[in-house]
Structure formats: C-alpha cells, structure tokens
Amino acid sequence: MAYTQLEPINEGLLSRLSDLLLCRWTCRNCCQKCYDCSCCQSSEDEVEILGPFPAQTPPWLVSNRSDEKDGDSDNATTSEPPPTPQDRRRSSSDTSRSTYSLTRRISNLELRRPSSPLIDIKPIEFGILGAKKEIVQPSILRKPYTSDDYFRKFEPRLYSLDSNSDDVDCLTDEEMLAKYQLGMLHFSTQYDLLHNYLIVRVIEGKDLPPPISYDGSKQDMAHSNPYVKICLLPDQKNSKQTGVKRKTQNPVFEERYTFEIPFLEAQRRTLLLTVVDFDKFSRHCVIGKVSMPLSEVDLVKGGHWWKALVPSSQNEVELGELLLSLNYLPSAGRLNVDIIRAKQLLQTDMSQGSDPFVKIQLVHGLKLAKTKKTAFMKGTIDPFYNESFSFKVPQEELENASLVFTVYGHNVKSSNDFIGRIVIGQYSTGSPESKHWRRMLNSHRTAVEQWHSLRSRAECDRVSPASLEVT
C-alpha cells in the first residue's frame, strides 16, 4: 500500500485552524495546542516512550532529507546572519510541531498494519538425539547420618572368619562352657618393662572332651593327648607350643614362654591359645581355642584367667616350615643343596617335642637316583642344621630333575614319624616350589634361599609323581 507524503505545516491562520481541528489534545486552560502550551508540555520520560524508531528510514522521510540537504548546500554558499530571539523561538516551535506530526503519522501506520498471527513456540531442548529423557524424581528429605549411625549399619559377625564368633561375643564363660562343652584353660600374662618381653604362662586345662577318632583301631577313644600352641595374632609363624600330656582330660602344663616385643606393639596384639590333640598315627586335631585382646588387660600388673574353650575354624594344625638354599654350577655339573633350619615342626614325641631330621632324594624323571639325610636334632621343633649336600647333575639332565625333601621325627623303637614333605624341580608340589627352582636356574653360581611350608604325604602324592617314587 502506498502512502502519500504530507506537506510540512506552514505558518498562518488557516494552518493554525487545521491543526487545531486535527489535534485531539488541547489545553482547556489556555485553549492552545498541546505542543505550544507550556503547562501541557510532556516530560523527557514521556518523550522517550515514543521511541525507538524503526531501523529503516520510512520512504516519506527520504525525500524530506534530500530536500534539506539541497537546501543546506545552497545556503552554505551564502552567509547567514546570526539568529535573533524571535527566530530561536520560531525554530523551537517548528521542531515541536514536526515531532508531534511525525508521532501521529507513525501511530497511524501502526494502526493500518495487519496484525501478526500468534504462534505458540515451544522452548528448544538441547541434548543428544535419540537419548532417553531421564525422569527426575523429587528428592525425599532424609535424616542425616552421623558417624555412629554409619557404623551401626554393619554387623561385624557377618565378616568374621569364625562362624561361631557371633555367639562367643555375647556369651559368658559359663554359658560357652555349657554350650560347647570343650573344657577350660588356665593361663596368665605379664609384661616385663625392664627386659621388654611378654611372659605367657600356660598352667593347666580342665574337662577336655574325648578325642575324635579317624582310625578306631589305633586311637584311644577314652583319653586325649593334649598340648597347647601359643601365638600373638596376627603373627602365627612365630608360635610356641607346650609338651604333650599323655592320656588325660585334665592336663597340667606349668610351662612359661616369652615373646620379645615392644610394649606398644604388644597392646595391639591378640593372644591366641589353641589346644590340640596329638595323634601319632593320624593328623593332629584342634580341640578348641581361647583368644584375648591384650589391649583389654593390664599387661604390667598381669593376671590369671580361666577361659572356656570355643570351636576353631582351623581343624588341622600346620606341619611346619623348612628353609633351603639351592645353587647350580654349570661348569662342574653340580647341584648344591643347603638345609639351613626348620621351625614350628609338628610334634611326634609326647615328652620332648620331636627329634627331627631331613631326608633329601634326587629323582631323574620318575626314577630315584640318590638319597642323603641330615643328622637329627634331639628334643626340638625348631632345629638348626646348616648342612650342605652336593649332587652330580649334568646340565642337559637338569630340566628333568626333582628334589624331594621329607622331614621325619627320629624314633629308636619303631619306624620314623612322618612330619611333612615338599618337592622342588620338574614335578614341584606348588607354585612356591616352582618359583624357587626357576630362580635357581636363572641365577647360576649364586645361592638362592627360600622358606617352604611342609605338606602332607597325601597332598604331595596327589600333585607330584616324584613323591610316589620315594619312601
């Protein structure tokens, strides 16, 4: 639609009458036009509401600007006299009329413009295409947990290695004795601050149960042969043990043992006393145990306790450990073996522990080649040997060689008592033995030492063919 351009309003009576008729706003006090009346002038804030104007200049203003530019260029050549006060008043009046006329024309154009349709625009959601929208649930106010509440959620009995520990913690000694009927143990403890060691005295046992027979023809079903093993948890390797008391359910030990340990470290340990039934012809069976945290007692003052025995998760005792050193000389074709020491061997003698010795047997493939043995150490379960042996093994036969180490308890009246065995070499009895053999092969002319835990005869015969070839 084309709009006609309006001519600028001129001064004169006709112009004033037309403007008065067109103007909707006149002052009732002075009957003047709104843009001439001083009492009806709009404030600066009201004038700013009319803006801002469109960025594009309307076509009906372009011609006026071009005319003004032509007029300015023509007037620029002639000098103009300085404006008078009347001219200044007249120019301000023209400016006000022009602003008012411009506002009226823009408002008329806005009224003629067709209304825009209403469009419902949804907000744009940014995210990965194809991903599922996660439904957010309203958060529920919960009571904050304190540190005490947090640890109350755990039940220590569920994480205990002993299945009966939950009953033990909540029962007295009288209740445990009546429930398990494993007897009681009398012992004492005291710490010597002058010499920095802990003294543990095993005094006696009472009302021990009769033994469980694994071989009825050889086991005395009426009496036990008990002894006690003592250790400070978590260290179970450096343990002590009493002598075996023959055929009694009320043994009297009266044996005293010392542990060299700092006082602060002793307070962090737990004293474990395990009562074991000795069986020469079969395995040793655990009757029961007593455990006491040393932090709960006065170690310096010391004390005596009668404690009820409780079941143990360990049904069999360990057979002991053996320290060996291996060395191979390729140029001489010699395999050197050093038997250094053993510790915590299983007792085979009721009176003085054991008289242990070690037998070393060389096996080529599945054939016994050579047998040697150490001297026996009388009345000990922690023997020191420090004996060396040499076997001639060519380098091409080394890969097929196996060494069988068997610990026996010396017995004069009958056959020697088997304690434990391991096999090192081609038919090793376990990963520790295989590792020791590989270290020796990779370290020619260098002695390699390692501790080994002894195994039962049945276990060795099951995993190592070399064990079956020796006696």
Side-chain angles (χ1 to χ4, degrees):
M1 180 183 292
Y3 296 95
T4 58
Q5 296 184 2
L6 300 178
E7 295 294 333
I9 302 174
N10 300 322
E11 295 290 335
L13 180 60
L14 182 59
S15 175
R16 291 178 179 272
L17 289 176
S18 62
D19 291 341
L20 182 61
L21 292 175
L22 293 174
C23 184
R24 297 175 56 189
W25 307 96
T26 54
C27 183
R28 296 184 178 180
N29 297 328
C30 58
C31 296
Q32 292 185 1
K33 290 183 292 184
C34 58
Y35 52 82
D36 288 337
C37 178
S38 60
C39 60
C40 297
Q41 290 292 334
S42 59
S43 63
E44 294 180 357
D45 296 335
E46 294 175 352
V47 173
E48 291 179 358
I49 294 176
L50 299 176
F53 295 106
Q56 294 183 354
T57 304
W60 47 271
L61 287 177
V62 176
S63 60
N64 293 341
R65 288 185 179 180
S66 60
D67 295 339
E68 291 175 0
K69 288 182 181 179
D70 296 340
D72 293 340
S73 60
D74 295 337
N75 296 332
T77 55
T78 59
S79 61
E80 295 181 357
T84 60
Q86 293 180 355
D87 296 335
R88 292 176 181 174
R89 194 180 302 112
R90 187 181 303 167
S91 63
S92 63
S93 177
D94 294 342
T95 303
S96 299
R97 285 196 301 270
S98 301
T99 304
Y100 174 73
S101 301
L102 178 60
T103 304
R104 287 184 57 197
R105 292 169 184 172
I106 292 175
S107 61
N108 291 334
L109 291 176
E110 293 292 336
L111 292 175
R112 294 179 183 180
R113 181 180 302 171
S115 60
S116 302
L118 298 177
I119 302 174
D120 184 13
I121 301 176
K122 295 182 179 181
I124 300 174
E125 297 182 0
F126 296 92
I128 302 175
L129 295 178
K132 290 185 178 181
K133 185 184 297 184
E134 182 180 359
I135 300 176
V136 181
Q137 298 292 342
S139 60
I140 301 175
L141 295 178
R142 299 181 184 272
K143 180 182 177 181
Y145 281 100
T146 61
S147 59
D148 295 337
D149 296 333
Y150 179 79
F151 287 104
R152 284 196 197 103
K153 296 188 297 181
F154 293 95
E155 299 184 20
R157 63 184 181 85
L158 298 178
Y159 305 93
S160 176
L161 297 177
D162 193 347
S163 59
N164 299 309
S165 62
D166 54 341
D167 299 331
V168 172
D169 293 338
C170 59
L171 296 179
T172 62
D173 288 332
E174 292 77 9
E175 293 173 340
M176 286 188 291
L177 181 62
K179 180 177 180 179
Y180 301 114
Q181 298 181 357
L182 296 178
M184 302 189 74
L185 185 65
H186 184 200
F187 62 96
S188 67
T189 60
Q190 188 173 16
Y191 190 85
D192 189 339
L193 291 174
L194 182 62
H195 300 93
N196 291 328
Y197 57 72
L198 177 68
I199 304 170
V200 179
R201 180 177 167 218
V202 181
I203 303 173
E204 60 180 320
K206 181 180 179 181
D207 298 332
L208 300 181
I212 300 175
S213 175
Y214 291 95
D215 189 348
S217 62
K218 298 180 180 180
Q219 177 71 32
D220 184 0
M221 296 298 296
H223 302 92
S224 298
N225 302 309
Y227 66 94
V228 181
K229 294 192 69 174
I230 310 105
C231 65
L232 299 178
L233 298 178
D235 182 15
Q236 298 189 38
K237 299 296 183 182
N238 298 319
S239 62
K240 314 284 185 179
Q241 67 183 45
T242 67
V244 180
K245 302 304 173 181
R246 184 186 296 268
K247 296 182 180 182
T248 177
Q249 308 308 119
N250 299 285
V252 178
F253 299 102
E254 286 294 346
E255 298 186 28
R256 178 178 177 269
Y257 302 93
T258 60
F259 294 87
E260 294 184 1
I261 184 173
F263 178 74
L264 295 179
E265 180 65 23
Q267 289 183 316
R268 292 192 285 264
R269 298 295 185 93
T270 298
L271 176 63
L272 176 63
L273 303 172
T274 306
V275 182
V276 186
D277 183 18
F278 175 87
D279 182 5
K280 180 178 180 180
F281 303 102
S282 181
R283 57 184 178 178
H284 297 196
C285 301
V286 177
I287 298 175
K289 68 173 184 178
V290 172
S291 59
M292 185 179 69
L294 297 181
S295 59
E296 299 178 358
V297 298
D298 189 346
L299 292 178
V300 178
K301 182 179 179 181
H304 289 249
W305 294 274
W306 276 98
K307 292 289 185 180
L309 296 174
V310 298
S312 174
S313 58
Q314 182 182 1
N315 295 324
E316 299 181 15
V317 296
E318 296 181 354
L319 302 179
E321 293 183 277
L322 185 63
L323 179 60
L324 305 174
S325 174
L326 301 179
N327 179 23
Y328 183 72
L329 302 176
S331 58
R334 307 296 295 183
L335 177 60
N336 299 324
V337 179
D338 294 337
I339 309 297
I340 303 174
R341 59 168 297 194
K343 66 178 182 179
Q344 299 302 308
L345 297 179
L346 189 69
Q347 283 195 196
T348 59
D349 191 345
M350 291 188 180
S351 58
Q352 295 295 329
S354 298
D355 299 331
F357 67 92
V358 182
K359 181 185 288 188
I360 309 101
Q361 295 169 294
L362 175 64
V363 178
H364 283 293
L366 295 178
K367 182 179 179 181
L368 178 62
K370 197 73 174 178
T371 299
K372 298 184 179 183
K373 64 179 180 180
T374 67
F376 66 89
M377 300 295 162
K378 191 172 180 61
T380 180
I381 60 173
D382 300 299
F384 285 83
Y385 297 104
N386 292 321
E387 297 187 32
S388 299
F389 304 90
S390 180
F391 298 90
K392 184 172 180 61
V393 181
Q395 190 169 4
E396 59 272 10
E397 298 180 4
L398 186 62
E399 295 181 355
N400 299 324
S402 298
L403 289 173
V404 181
F405 299 88
T406 308
V407 182
Y408 290 96
H410 179 69
N411 196 327
V412 179
K413 298 180 181 181
S414 62
S415 62
N416 295 324
D417 302 319
F418 178 89
I419 296 178
R421 172 180 291 173
I422 59 169
V423 180
I424 300 177
Q426 181 186 11
Y427 299 109
S428 296
T429 49
S431 58
E433 291 83 356
S434 298
K435 182 180 178 181
H436 194 181
W437 185 257
R438 289 195 301 268
R439 289 172 57 199
M440 182 206 69
L441 295 178
N442 298 328
S443 305
H444 292 325
R445 303 180 182 87
T446 303
V448 180
E449 293 184 4
Q450 184 172 323
W451 280 98
H452 295 277
S453 297
L454 297 176
R455 304 172 186 267
S456 65
R457 188 195 301 267
E459 182 181 358
C460 293
D461 292 346
R462 186 175 63 252
V463 300
S464 175
S467 178
L468 297 172
E469 300 301 321
V470 300
T471 56

